[in-house]
Amino acid sequence: MRIIFIPVDERFCTRDYFLLLAETFNIEVVTPPIEMLGRKKIPADIDAIWHWLETETKDDDLLIISLDMILYGGLIPSRISIDSIETIRKRLSKLKNIKQPNNKIYLSATVTRIPAYNYADEEPDYWDYFGVKIYEYSKKIVQFKRGILSAEDLKKAKATLPTWILKDFLWRRERNFNILKLTIKLLSENSIDFLNLVLDDNAPGSLSVFEAERHANYVKKLGVVDRISIHPGADESLLTLLARAMVEHVDYHPKIRIFYSQPEFVDLIPPYEGTPVKESVPVHLETCGATVVPNNEDGLLIVHNPNDRRESEQQVQANESVYQRIVEVLTRREISGICDIAFANGADNKLVESILNPRFDWSKIIYAAWNTAGNTIGTVCSSLVLRILAEKGFITLDLDKLYELNAIFLLEHWGYQANVRKILRDVEAPKRGGDLFTVIPLEGWATKYVKEKLNPFKERIEKTFGRIYDYLDPFFPWHRPFEIGFLRNSEESANGGRK
C-alpha cells in the first residue's frame, strides 16, 4: 500500500509536514517533484501534475489530493486564477479516470477566504486598496440573503466598490462555489471516497460560512453526510486525510477523550474562524477517523483553548492553575496530543515552559501551535491518531522521527512564531530594507539571524529530548517573514532547501 500525495502548494508546512509525519510512522509516500508545484502566486504546472498522477497511480494506492492544486495550481492560485469554469470542469472530470476499483481517493478542498485587510500578498492585486471594503460588502450579502438587510442598504454598500472589482470578485467566488458543488456530486457518484471541505480564514457571519452552509445542505440532499467533513482549516487538511486513510485501511477507529484547559471558554470563537472551539475540535477528530469518548481509552487530546482573541505576539498568561492542570494530566504518561491554541499564530510561552521537561514522556506526546486554531487542531489530531495506531501495532513508529517532528514544531511554533518573528519583522528587517511581506533584500542575513535567535530554544528542546538537532537550518519558503521551514540535511541544502 502506497500513499499518492498531491499537496496544496510547495511550502514546508503543507508539503514537508505531511512527509515528516509519514516518515515518523514508516508510511510509503509518492509525491511529485517540488519543481512541479509552482511558487506562491505562480501556479503549478497543472498538466504535468495530472500526467504524473495518471502515470503514477496504481490500482491499490491511497490517493490524498489537494483539489486546489490539481484544478488551479495551488492555494493562492485558487484565489487569483482567471481560468474559465469550463477549463476547471474538464480538469475535475479527470478524477473519474483516476478512480480504480481498489484505490481510494481522499480529497481536500477549500472554501475561498475573504481577508479583512488591504494587502494583496495572497490575493488579487486590487486587495491592496479595497480588501476591507470587499470583506464588508461580502458580509452584507449574507445579511441580505438572511433577510436582515434591505436591498437599498446592500446597494449602498455595493456603490463603495468599483464595478470591475466587484464583478471580478463575484465571478471568481461563483466559479469556485460551483466547482465545489460539482465535486460533492462526484462524491455522491463514488468517483471520490472522502472529501475534506475546509474553510480558509473565515469569521462568524462571513460569506465563506454562508457558502459552507449551502454546501452542507446539498450534502444532506445527496445523502453523503458520512463521507464529507466541513470545518475551519486549510493548510493542515491533508494531514487529516492521512490519518483517516490509515484508520480506514487498518479498520481501527481510536477512541479519544478531549480535555480543555479552560472549559469555561469553549464557546469562544478563535481568530480567523467562524466556529466555537467546542464544535470544531470534535469534528477535526472525527474527520481523522477517531471516535470521541467521555473517558480515556486510547488517547487524550489536550486543548489549551483561548480565553480571548489574542495573537501570540501579544500574549497574556492565563491563571497559573490552567497550566498546572495540563502538567497534572501529562504526568499520567498517556498518549497525548497538545493543541496549543490559546493564541493565534504561535505558542503560549508559559505552556511550553511548563511542559518542556524530561520528566514527561515525549515518546507519547505530540505538540503543535501554528497559525489558526484549525491548523493546529488538525495537525495534532492527525498525529495523535497515527501515534495510537502505532501503539496498537497497526503501523510502526520511528521514535527518533517523532522526536524530530516535535522539535521542528516547537522550533517554529514556539521559538519562531511566538518570539523571534516579531523582532525580525518589526525591528530588525526594516533596518535592512525588509518589511511585513518580504525578506528578499536581506534573505541571507535574515536566515543567519533567525538561526542564531532560535539557538536558545533549540538548546532547551535538545535538553528535554536528549537529542541534538544541529542539522536543522531555517529557510523562508515564500521569502517572507511569516513562516519558516527547516533544511533537514546537507542534501536538502544543496537542492535549495527541498527534496
Side-chain angles (χ1 to χ4, degrees):
M1 184 274 298
R2 304 183 308 166
I3 300 290
I4 302 293
F5 170 51
I6 307 290
V8 70
D9 53 42
E10 82 290 354
R11 279 175 297 161
F12 189 82
C13 64
T14 51
R15 180 177 182 269
D16 293 65
Y17 278 11
F18 187 102
L19 298 178
L20 283 163
L21 190 59
E23 287 176 18
T24 300
F25 296 99
N26 294 293
I27 300 168
E28 182 183 1
V29 174
V30 183
T31 193
I34 196 167
E35 293 77 20
M36 280 189 194
L37 302 182
R39 174 76 67 174
K40 198 177 178 181
K41 284 189 171 183
I42 301 171
D45 188 335
I46 301 172
D47 290 339
I49 288 174
W50 271 107
H51 177 73
W52 182 92
L53 188 57
E54 292 164 341
T55 303
E56 187 65 41
T57 300
K58 297 178 181 178
D59 185 40
D60 58 348
D61 289 332
L62 301 179
L63 287 74
I64 299 178
I65 299 173
S66 163
L67 190 73
D68 299 290
M69 173 59 76
I70 62 173
L71 297 190
Y72 304 100
L75 181 62
I76 308 304
S78 75
R79 303 171 189 163
I80 64 177
S81 161
I82 61 170
D83 288 341
S84 69
I85 191 167
E86 290 77 18
T87 297
I88 305 298
R89 271 200 199 113
K90 288 178 182 177
R91 291 172 183 157
L92 180 62
S93 67
K94 292 161 75 172
L95 276 175
K96 294 180 180 179
N97 301 325
I98 298 295
K99 180 64 177 164
Q100 301 296 324
N102 296 314
N103 68 20
K104 284 191 172 184
I105 297 179
Y106 297 84
L107 201 65
S108 174
T110 57
V111 176
T112 310
R113 74 178 195 171
I114 311 172
Y117 51 64
N118 285 350
Y119 302 115
D121 184 53
E122 299 183 13
E123 319 300 327
D125 289 345
Y126 50 73
W127 225 271
D128 267 336
Y129 310 98
F130 290 96
V132 172
K133 289 184 177 180
I134 293 171
Y135 172 79
E136 291 171 347
Y137 175 70
S138 71
K139 293 194 77 170
K140 292 188 182 300
I141 292 175
V142 177
Q143 293 167 8
F144 172 72
K145 289 182 179 293
R146 295 194 191 281
I148 56 178
L149 186 77
S150 69
E152 184 61 29
D153 286 337
L154 182 66
K155 185 177 179 181
K156 290 178 182 177
K158 182 178 179 180
T160 65
L161 291 165
T163 301
W164 71 272
I165 289 177
L166 185 61
K167 181 179 179 181
D168 182 81
F169 168 73
L170 294 176
W171 168 80
R172 191 175 279 108
R173 289 207 73 82
E174 183 179 7
R175 179 198 61 182
N176 291 12
F177 177 87
N178 287 328
I179 288 297
L180 289 177
K181 190 173 181 180
L182 288 172
T183 304
I184 295 169
K185 186 70 163 56
L186 282 180
L187 179 73
S188 72
E189 296 168 353
N190 298 316
S191 295
I192 302 164
D193 291 277
F194 189 86
L195 176 61
N196 195 20
L197 183 55
V198 290
L199 283 75
D200 199 0
D201 297 356
N202 62 99
S206 67
L207 186 54
S208 298
V209 171
F210 181 77
E211 290 172 350
E213 290 173 1
R214 292 177 63 192
H215 288 311
N217 290 334
Y218 187 55
V219 166
K220 291 176 183 176
K221 179 180 177 181
L222 295 181
V224 289
V225 173
D226 59 337
R227 294 169 54 209
I228 185 172
S229 181
I230 304 175
H231 61 265
D235 294 343
E236 83 301 331
S237 61
L238 295 169
L239 299 177
T240 300
L241 292 180
L242 176 61
R244 186 180 189 91
M246 296 309 299
V247 162
E248 293 186 347
H249 181 69
V250 305
D251 195 23
Y252 183 82
H253 296 262
K255 299 176 180 64
I256 297 172
R257 181 170 76 92
I258 301 171
F259 171 89
Y260 294 102
S261 69
Q262 303 184 84
E264 65 272 30
F265 295 106
V266 294
D267 288 315
L268 189 144
I269 298 174
Y272 314 111
E273 301 207 347
T275 307
V277 169
K278 71 175 182 182
E279 294 179 17
S280 61
V281 171
V283 172
H284 276 280
L285 270 176
E286 290 162 0
T287 308
C288 288
T291 301
V292 178
V293 294
N295 300 306
N296 294 8
E297 291 200 30
D298 294 330
L300 178 67
L301 183 69
I302 300 169
V303 182
H304 182 38
N305 56 300
N307 58 26
D308 59 21
R309 294 170 56 84
R310 292 179 183 270
E311 300 278 330
S312 66
E313 294 170 351
Q314 293 87 36
Q315 61 183 270
V316 175
Q317 294 178 5
N319 186 284
E320 182 66 31
S321 63
V322 171
Y323 304 103
Q324 188 58 40
R325 283 198 291 269
I326 295 173
V327 167
E328 288 173 0
V329 169
L330 285 178
T331 58
R332 300 172 191 169
R333 303 175 76 84
E334 301 172 74
I335 295 177
S336 303
I338 304 174
C339 298
D340 184 357
I341 59 169
F343 309 109
N345 291 313
D348 180 338
N349 284 320
K350 175 64 176 177
L351 174 63
V352 178
E353 289 290 333
S354 301
I355 65 175
L356 261 188
N357 190 307
R359 72 188 177 103
F360 299 127
D361 186 359
W362 277 86
S363 72
K364 294 184 176 181
I365 297 172
I366 190 74
Y367 169 92
W370 64 294
N371 294 15
T372 68
N375 293 152
T376 290
I377 297 166
T379 300
V380 174
C381 288
S382 55
S383 305
L384 175 60
V385 164
L386 291 173
R387 180 64 185 87
I388 292 169
L389 293 184
E391 188 74 7
K392 296 292 183 181
F394 292 109
I395 56 179
T396 59
L397 168 67
D398 185 326
L399 190 55
D400 286 333
K401 291 292 184 183
L402 179 64
Y403 276 101
E404 180 184 331
L405 186 68
N406 271 317
I408 286 172
F409 287 168
L410 284 161
L411 269 179
E412 182 177 3
H413 308 166
W414 170 49
Y416 184 72
Q417 290 193 18
N419 293 282
V420 174
R421 177 172 59 190
K422 180 176 177 59
I423 301 170
L424 169 70
R425 185 193 63 208
D426 298 345
V427 180
E428 297 299 332
K431 296 176 183 177
R432 297 164 173 84
D435 60 31
L436 182 64
F437 296 114
T438 187
V439 293
I440 289 176
L442 59 144
E443 194 154 358
W445 169 85
T447 301
K448 293 177 182 177
Y449 176 84
V450 169
K451 182 176 182 179
E452 176 188 344
K453 294 301 179 181
L454 284 180
N455 197 54
F457 300 95
K458 183 172 74 69
E459 289 177 349
R460 175 68 186 275
I461 295 165
E462 290 172 339
K463 182 178 180 180
T464 299
F465 290 178
R467 288 160 168 80
I468 302 298
Y469 297 107
D470 283 345
Y471 58 90
L472 292 178
D473 291 330
F475 71 99
F476 298 94
W478 276 356
H479 308 285
R480 64 181 186 180
F482 183 71
E483 69 269 279
I484 57 172
F486 292 96
L487 312 182
R488 295 166 53 222
N489 55 47
S490 58
E491 182 182 350
E492 288 185 355
S493 299
N495 286 284
R498 314 309 295 272
K499 292 182 177 179

